Amino acid sequence: MGIFSISYDLYQASEYRAFYDHLEAHDHCWAMDGQCLVRTEQDATELRRTLMQLIDNHDVLFVCRLGDDWSGVGTQCGGWLDRQRRGG
């Protein structure tokens, strides 16, 4: 199981309810507009392929696995990441 950062630019965001529903189906944290962290058993390629089916081919999507070396300010994700590290 890994934690992935999913960054995106959706050009008609109001039409992407299935995309957001898929992200929210995972243990997740909204880092900021256009970025969600999710915990999943999929790898980055599998996750990207799944999400690409839910967005337009002109949209932008970037998926990468997070490691233990991260830093942030002004988000709720620090506490969420700490809980994930402890297995919560």
Side-chain angles (χ1 to χ4, degrees), residues 62-82:
F62 180 74
V63 178
C64 71
R65 186 180 187 124
L66 290 183
D68 288 333
D69 188 19
W70 56 266
S71 182
V73 65
T75 74
Q76 300 295 317
C77 290
W80 182 85
L81 285 166
D82 287 341

Side-chain angles (χ1 to χ4, degrees), residues 2-16:
I3 297 174
F4 294 84
S5 173
I6 301 167
S7 302
Y8 54 89
D9 281 325
L10 305 178
Y11 294 102
Q12 297 178 5
S14 63
E15 298 181 17
Y16 294 111

Side-chain angles (χ1 to χ4, degrees), residues 35-51:
Q35 184 183 26
C36 185
L37 306 181
V38 299
R39 185 175 181 211
T40 181
E41 292 193 20
Q42 292 181 303
D43 66 25
T45 301
E46 292 171 320
L47 188 53
R48 179 191 50 83
R49 284 183 184 147
T50 300
L51 293 170

Side-chain angles (χ1 to χ4, degrees), residues 5-34:
S5 173
I6 301 167
S7 302
Y8 54 89
D9 281 325
L10 305 178
Y11 294 102
Q12 297 178 5
S14 63
E15 298 181 17
Y16 294 111
R17 188 72 251 156
F19 175 82
Y20 295 114
D21 287 347
H22 185 78
L23 294 176
E24 291 174 352
H26 296 281
D27 189 2
H28 70 283
C29 179
W30 294 103
M32 59 189 73
D33 288 344

